[in-house]
Amino acid sequence: MSQNIFLTYRDHSNMHQPLKGLKVISLEQAVAAPFATARMADAGAEVIKIERPEGDFARGYDQAAKGLSSYFVWLNRGKKTLILDLTQENDRNKLDQELKTTDIFVQNLRYGVISKFGFNLERLHQVNPRLISCSLNGFSQKGSMADRKAYDLLIQAETGLASITGSAQDAARVGISIVDIATGSTAYSACLEALVQRGISGKGSKIEVSLFDVMAEWLTVPLLNHEAGNTPHRIGLAHPSIAPYGVFSTKVGPDILIAIQSEREWFNFCELVLFDKNIASHRKFSSNIARVANRAETDQLVANVLCKLTSEEAIDKLKKADIAFALLNDMEGLSKHPCLRRINIQTEKGPVSIPAPPAIFNNTEPLLGSVPSLKNWK
């Protein structure tokens, strides 16, 4: 069995904590906002998560992390929980007092709800001019659908992402909460930009990020291709603009995804894998544009060779030809993958092993805070 790279706690004297000393209040739930504030907590900020008495509903998504929700454990490490019932005046006053000394205020309540509770952003910025507020919504607050409920899969459908995801026969959901994660990442980046700006001007910022806008921007390439008369279609595990670029079966072993990115790679592939360098100059295969136009024949050429090789033999030839490839893994494959970096985080049910944050600073291991239980921290 392959061994993961397991990070342990050692000397953290040089720990990278650029947001240490910052106070973050987050009126958050589910995935998008918690993703952004988890990154802030990892970077050393004091993140105070406001939860209703029954808790963030993401606490009940599953029980995969030692009886706790995998979503909640992943996205709420290092935070403090403050339980408030914002229908009660006393609790609203508590939050109002906290916001007067807050650096970043993140919220992803449905459009208009925060104002109904008395937290008008204009007023908050007047009281605290250095405040950076970041509101995450389903749709732009300036559009006609501002008050419409929106969740990850709904936005995958609404933006058209689902129309280009899946097999030729069936549309499919991307297998993770890609819209929420993308929105949380965008919100985090925007807050960091606002911090830089505040360091120069001394003034805070009012930020709005919508799930729809984020995913629409990520869909720029398929959108422009559609408007140019080349509407993308679902092609499963293949690339719409490059060939050969897809999954091929071997005689024995896992399927292999092969990616040819240049004509030099294609020539090497034909010579060292297909053992016929003349294919590279054939009119149907001499350029990527030609290969895409003749995708079925191109793929068949590759399939005819790889099906006679074991995966180990195919990998050996691909390495010699310097061709990019990947095994078609599943979660079992990821769990045992030799490149998977893991780290333990503490929960009320004991340590949980999760993939480590991707950014590595100064060659030091990350120090992640524990996951809060549903009780006030003070």
Side-chain angles (χ1 to χ4, degrees):
M1 180 184 296
S2 301
Q3 295 296 312
N4 300 152
I5 302 169
F6 207 99
L7 306 181
T8 56
Y9 299 114
R10 290 199 287 272
D11 178 15
H12 295 288
S13 58
N14 294 317
M15 182 56 57
H16 181 82
Q17 291 192 308
L19 301 187
K20 189 175 180 62
L22 289 179
K23 177 180 176 181
V24 179
I25 296 286
S26 191
L27 192 54
E28 62 179 27
Q29 54 196 357
V31 176
F35 184 95
T37 55
R39 292 295 185 266
M40 296 178 194
D42 288 351
E46 178 190 32
V47 177
I48 301 172
K49 178 184 179 76
I50 308 300
E51 291 195 69
R52 62 191 72 183
E54 63 272 25
D56 180 343
F57 52 68
R59 287 182 180 271
Y61 278 173
D62 60 47
Q63 296 180 320
K66 290 192 174 179
L68 302 174
S69 165
S70 58
Y71 284 86
F72 194 86
V73 167
W74 169 42
L75 296 174
N76 292 283
R77 59 190 186 236
K79 302 177 185 179
K80 300 172 179 177
T81 283
L82 180 59
I83 300 171
L84 296 177
D85 181 353
L86 296 184
T87 65
Q88 302 299 313
E89 183 178 1
N90 187 51
D91 282 4
R92 291 197 298 272
N93 290 337
K94 287 180 182 178
L95 178 56
D96 207 47
Q97 286 299 116
E98 291 286 352
L99 289 171
K100 290 178 181 179
T101 58
T102 292
D103 293 287
I104 302 174
F105 175 42
V106 179
Q107 66 90 18
N108 70 337
L109 300 186
R110 187 177 176 183
Y111 174 70
V113 170
I114 192 170
S115 295
K116 290 180 181 178
F117 284 132
F119 298 98
N120 179 277
L121 291 178
E122 298 298 336
R123 177 182 68 80
L124 295 178
H125 280 271
Q126 289 176 359
V127 173
N128 182 359
R130 289 175 56 81
L131 178 67
I132 295 168
S133 67
C134 184
S135 298
L136 285 68
N137 300 103
F139 298 90
S140 171
Q141 297 183 20
K142 297 180 175 64
S144 61
M145 297 170 66
D147 61 349
R148 185 163 154 181
K149 284 187 177 181
Y151 304 117
D152 185 280
L153 184 51
L154 300 179
I155 297 299
Q156 290 194 40
E158 191 76 32
T159 57
L161 174 60
S163 76
I164 58 171
T165 305
S167 66
Q169 293 75 34
D170 300 300
R173 167 190 178 271
V174 176
I176 58 174
S177 300
I178 189 169
V179 177
D180 285 334
I181 295 168
T183 302
S185 182
T186 300
Y188 178 54
S189 298
C191 287
L192 296 184
E193 290 180 25
L195 281 171
V196 173
Q197 184 182 52
R198 192 180 76 172
I200 298 170
S201 68
K203 298 180 180 179
S205 298
K206 183 182 174 186
I207 303 167
E208 298 174 7
V209 182
S210 83
L211 278 68
F212 184 91
D213 286 351
V214 169
M215 198 45 48
E217 197 268 340
W218 278 32
L219 287 165
T220 295
V221 170
L223 176 64
L224 292 183
N225 272 272
H226 164 73
E227 292 174 346
N230 184 30
T231 300
H233 300 288
R234 294 187 301 273
I235 53 175
L237 284 171
H239 195 290
S241 306
I242 305 173
Y245 197 139
V247 174
F248 298 90
S249 296
T250 58
K251 182 171 64 175
V252 178
D255 291 349
I256 299 177
L257 196 152
I258 296 171
I260 303 292
Q261 290 277 11
S262 68
E263 299 312 318
R264 176 187 58 80
E265 289 181 348
W266 173 240
F267 182 85
N268 289 346
F269 184 80
C270 291
E271 182 177 29
L272 300 176
V273 180
L274 303 184
F275 289 114
D276 187 351
K277 62 182 180 181
N278 292 324
I279 294 175
S281 58
H282 191 284
R283 63 178 180 81
K284 289 186 176 182
F285 314 116
S286 60
S287 70
N288 179 64
I289 293 175
R291 292 192 296 276
V292 170
N294 298 281
R295 183 187 299 275
E297 292 177 76
T298 302
D299 288 350
Q300 193 61 55
L301 285 172
V302 179
N304 288 343
V305 172
L306 292 190
C307 71
K308 300 173 184 176
L309 304 174
T310 67
S311 60
E312 290 184 358
E313 292 170 338
I315 288 170
D316 182 62
K317 293 181 182 297
L318 291 167
K319 285 181 177 179
K320 288 179 180 177
D322 195 25
I323 301 301
F325 68 92
L327 299 182
L328 186 59
N329 270 325
D330 53 16
M331 289 303 100
E332 179 69 13
L334 175 60
S335 179
K336 297 176 180 178
H337 203 288
C339 292
L340 177 62
R341 297 167 47 246
R342 305 189 75 124
I343 193 166
N344 278 338
I345 56 174
Q346 296 300 318
T347 77
E348 59 187 301
K349 298 290 184 70
V352 174
S353 171
I354 66 169
I360 302 173
F361 294 92
N362 303 319
N363 201 33
T364 58
E365 299 97 343
L367 177 60
L368 305 184
S370 59
V371 178
S373 60
L374 190 58
K375 59 182 180 180
N376 280 321
W377 61 278
K378 64 177 183 179

